[in-house]
């Protein structure tokens, strides 16, 4: 089977928006793993963090990746921003598909997520500084996990869809 197209990157990098948009021309169903977990648990991500803690949520992310091996058609998957942090998840991702890192600068992310209340990790006194620190920590990990990097600060949806399709098309040529 053709590999799944897997999108990773920091919160607010546009994984769900771009993933959903590219799923139409690719004719592949789109799965947002946060939404997948929310529907299994019957709770939002914030409620899962509050009721069970972050470690519980992280385990659900690994469960979700494992469940993706049962999909019978190639999908477009948007992963939660923290999913690639576990080495086990990165191994699963390698087997599951072609991974694209949507890379954005901290300033871009801050502008996009200002006032957002759905990300429990950013409900703090200084979200701008938190974003900067977390991106500095995570960027090397996202790079390591990625087969391809797409810079998304300049948000031109049509161009990004084309670039993504081209990268994935090269990967899957002949499949
Ligand atoms: C998280 C990212 C969120 C969600 C949770 C934790 C993270 O997903 O999984 O709030 O650790 O980066 P998005 O990247 O879709 O916002």
């Amino acid at each position: 089977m053709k590999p799944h197209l897997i999108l990773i990157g920091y919160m607010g990098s546009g994984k769900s928006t771009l993933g959903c948009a590219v799923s139409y021309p690719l004719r592949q169903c789109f799965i947002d793993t946060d939404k997948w977990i929310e529907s299994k648990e019957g709770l939002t991500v914030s409620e899962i963090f509050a009721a069970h803690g972050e470690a519980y949520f992280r385990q659900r992310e690994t469960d979700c990746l494992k469940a993706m091996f049962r999909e019978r058609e190639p999908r477009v998957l948007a992963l939660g921003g923290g999913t690639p942090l576990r080495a086990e998840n990165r191994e699963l991702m390698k087997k599951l598909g072609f991974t694209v890192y949507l890379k954005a600068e901290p300033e871009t992310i801050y502008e996009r997520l200002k006032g957002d209340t759905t990300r429990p990790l950013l409900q703090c006194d200084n979200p701008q500084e938190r974003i900067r620190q977390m991106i500095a920590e995570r960027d090397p990990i996202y790079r390591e996990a990625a087969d391809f990097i797409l810079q998304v600060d300049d948000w031109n949806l049509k161009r990004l869809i084309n670039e993504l399709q081209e990268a994935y098309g090269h990967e899957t040529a002949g499949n």
Side-chain angles (χ1 to χ4, degrees), residues 11 15 34 45 49 57-58 61 80-82 119-121 138:
M11 294 174 258
K15 301 175 297 271
D34 280 343
V45 171
F49 268 68
F57 176 74
R58 297 301 176 198
E61 292 186 304
R119 271 65 172 212
L121 296 177
R138 288 178 175 194

Side-chain angles (χ1 to χ4, degrees), residues 13-135:
S13 58
K15 301 175 297 271
S16 301
T17 307
L18 186 55
C20 183
V22 81
S23 71
Y24 290 93
L26 287 175
R27 295 193 169 77
Q28 293 177 207
C29 290
F30 171 67
I31 300 175
D32 178 316
T33 59
D34 280 343
K35 296 273 173 284
W36 190 94
I37 294 168
E38 287 181 339
S39 73
K40 285 253 163 211
E41 296 287 311
L43 296 171
T44 66
V45 171
S46 297
E47 287 166 347
I48 299 171
F49 268 68
H52 303 294
E54 181 174 349
Y56 177 90
F57 176 74
R58 297 301 176 198
Q59 190 52 46
R60 303 289 76 74
E61 292 186 304
T62 301
D63 295 345
C64 174
L65 286 181
K66 288 182 177 163
M68 293 303 127
F69 287 95
R70 294 200 292 271
E71 296 292 324
R72 287 283 154 246
E73 302 280 338
R75 308 292 187 210
V76 179
L77 309 177
L79 306 192
T83 309
L85 303 185
R86 265 197 187 187
E88 180 185 3
N89 293 351
R90 294 198 294 279
E91 285 305 310
L92 293 168
M93 288 158 57
K94 271 189 204 139
K95 294 183 185 134
L96 269 176
F98 179 71
T99 298
V100 178
Y101 168 22
L102 308 192
K103 182 169 164 52
E105 297 305 318
E107 297 71 34
T108 308
I109 298 289
Y110 179 67
E111 283 307 314
R112 288 190 194 160
L113 293 184
K114 249 185 338 202
D116 175 273
T117 56
T118 65
R119 271 65 172 212
L121 296 177
L122 298 181
Q123 307 315 302
C124 57
D125 288 342
N126 191 345
Q128 198 164 9
E129 179 55 18
R130 170 73 61 87
I131 290 168
R132 204 190 53 73
Q133 274 175 1
M134 286 175 82
I135 291 183

